[in-house]
């Protein structure tokens, strides 16, 4: 065989090898799950090996989005209960026409609200309300009590009694029903938005703090299984194992036909079991 034949044969063999094992035909590297897959895989512990491939930034983004959705659902549910259900509007409509000016309270006619454990009585006369009056109402089963006359207001809430004289507000203070509707309510909505942001940030940070505590348990589980795993993989298992019980707790609290909740200790134990299966399924490091 001449040299040209040998060279052509060798070239063909190399070409075949490149076609079979070359970069274009190498098996594609498995991609890390996206945010939606991360949510789905968190319910399937055998898939925690895939979740171990999630980058730190993607994991933080998933938890942040997850907490945002959970918090939004909670606040929207509360808003629907009071707004769509007529809670706020009904309360404002039932609010009597009153005026607080120059240290004195006045109202067109006496107002009485007696519902469940709440008792409210407002009058523009100088009838004197004392602690004994509040105590007697409390003994009848009322837990929230407001009694107001021309000069002062007496209140009981969660067992704490307080009374204030309107003259303490000063002579320049003027409050009436229109002021509450047109001035106070818009400010309250702004305050509610600020509370939402603070609650969301705190809830997200708390999620990661609890995950760090679960990480210690995950380390013990890995030790029992005699598996050599990185702290990052174990932390991811701790983060994602908390998702299922969060979702279950949300459903139980928001579904109108459900009237029970899972005790905290049971939720913790179930989370640890899910995390344990997840740690067991993680691929061991070489």
């Amino acid at each position: 065989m001449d040299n040209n034949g040998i060279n052509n044969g060798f070239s063909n063999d190399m070409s075949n090898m490149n076609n079979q094992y070359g970069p274009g035909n190498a098996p594609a590297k498995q991609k890390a799950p996206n945010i939606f897959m991360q949510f789905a895989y968190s319910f399937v512990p055998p898939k925690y090996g895939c979740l171990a491939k999630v980058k730190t930034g993607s994991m933080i983004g998933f938890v942040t989005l997850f907490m945002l959705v959970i918090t939004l659902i909670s606040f929207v549910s509360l808003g629907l209960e009071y707004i769509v259900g007529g809670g706020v509007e009904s309360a404002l409509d039932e609010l009597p026409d009153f005026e607080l000016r120059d240290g004195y309270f006045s109202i067109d006619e006496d107002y009485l609200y007696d519902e469940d454990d709440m008792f409210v009585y407002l009058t523009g006369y100088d009838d004197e309300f004392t602690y004994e009056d509040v105590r007697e109402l409390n003994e009848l089963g009322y837990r929230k009590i407001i009694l107001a006359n021309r000069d002062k207001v007496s209140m009981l809430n969660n067992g704490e009694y307080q009374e204030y004289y309107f003259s303490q507000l000063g002579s320049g203070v003027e409050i009436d029903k229109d002021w509450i509707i047109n001035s106070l309510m818009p400010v309250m909505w702004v305050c509610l938005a600020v509370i939402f942001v603070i609650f969301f940030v705190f809830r997200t940070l708390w999620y990661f703090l609890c995950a760090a505590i679960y990480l210690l348990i995950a380390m013990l589980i890995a030790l029992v299984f005699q598996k050599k795993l990185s702290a990052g993989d174990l932390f991811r298992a701790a983060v994602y194992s908390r998702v299922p019980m969060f979702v279950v707790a949300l459903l139980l609290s928001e579904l109108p036909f459900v009237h029970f909740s899972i005790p905290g200790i049971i939720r913790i134990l179930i989370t640890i079991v899910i995390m344990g299966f997840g740690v067991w399924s993680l691929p061991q490091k070489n």
Side-chain angles (χ1 to χ4, degrees), residues 185-200:
M185 290 305 298
V187 174
M188 289 185 63
W189 288 120
V190 173
C191 292
L192 184 63
V194 173
I195 292 173
F196 170 82
V197 173
I198 294 174
F199 183 71
F200 159 65

Side-chain angles (χ1 to χ4, degrees), residues 119-274:
F119 185 91
V120 179
Y121 181 69
L122 310 176
T123 180
Y125 297 102
D126 58 355
D127 298 341
E128 181 68 20
F129 297 121
T130 65
Y131 172 74
E132 291 300 321
D133 298 321
V134 175
R135 186 180 61 82
E136 289 178 5
L137 289 170
N138 183 234
E139 291 177 349
L140 292 176
Y142 296 104
R143 297 292 175 264
K144 301 180 181 67
I145 302 170
I146 300 177
L147 303 176
N149 61 11
R150 185 188 65 176
D151 300 308
K152 73 174 184 178
V153 57
S154 303
M155 299 181 293
L156 181 73
N157 186 35
N158 295 326
E160 181 179 357
Y161 174 78
Q162 295 175 321
E163 66 177 25
Y164 298 97
Y165 284 88
F166 297 122
S167 58
Q168 295 176 271
L169 298 175
S171 58
V173 176
E174 295 184 9
I175 300 175
D176 56 19
K177 181 177 179 178
D178 291 337
W179 179 85
I180 291 178
I181 295 175
N182 300 321
S183 299
L184 181 61
M185 290 305 298
V187 174
M188 289 185 63
W189 288 120
V190 173
C191 292
L192 184 63
V194 173
I195 292 173
F196 170 82
V197 173
I198 294 174
F199 183 71
F200 159 65
V201 172
F202 174 80
R203 203 174 191 183
T204 303
L205 294 176
W206 182 252
Y207 189 99
F208 281 113
L209 177 60
C210 292
I213 297 175
Y214 278 103
L215 170 61
L216 302 178
I217 302 175
M219 289 179 174
L220 293 176
I221 295 174
L223 186 62
V224 171
F225 289 154
Q226 297 182 349
K227 301 191 69 171
K228 186 179 180 181
L229 301 169
S230 68
D233 290 353
L234 293 174
F235 184 69
R236 283 164 175 75
V239 167
Y240 291 108
S241 64
R242 300 197 65 221
V243 172
M245 293 312 301
F246 248 94
V247 174
V248 170
L250 178 68
L251 292 176
L252 293 180
S253 64
E254 299 301 332
L255 292 177
F257 53 84
V258 178
H259 304 288
F260 68 93
S261 60
I262 302 176
I265 186 64
I266 301 299
R267 292 171 55 185
I268 292 174
L269 291 176
I270 294 176
T271 300
I272 292 175
V273 171
I274 294 173

Side-chain angles (χ1 to χ4, degrees), residues 90-125:
S90 176
L92 292 176
D93 290 339
E94 292 181 5
L95 190 67
D97 290 324
F98 72 93
E99 185 177 56
L100 180 59
R101 176 182 295 187
D102 297 330
Y104 293 100
F105 175 80
S106 62
I107 189 171
D108 293 343
E109 59 182 14
D110 292 354
Y111 174 78
L112 174 65
Y113 179 88
D114 184 356
E115 192 75 27
D116 297 328
D117 64 343
M118 187 171 186
F119 185 91
V120 179
Y121 181 69
L122 310 176
T123 180
Y125 297 102

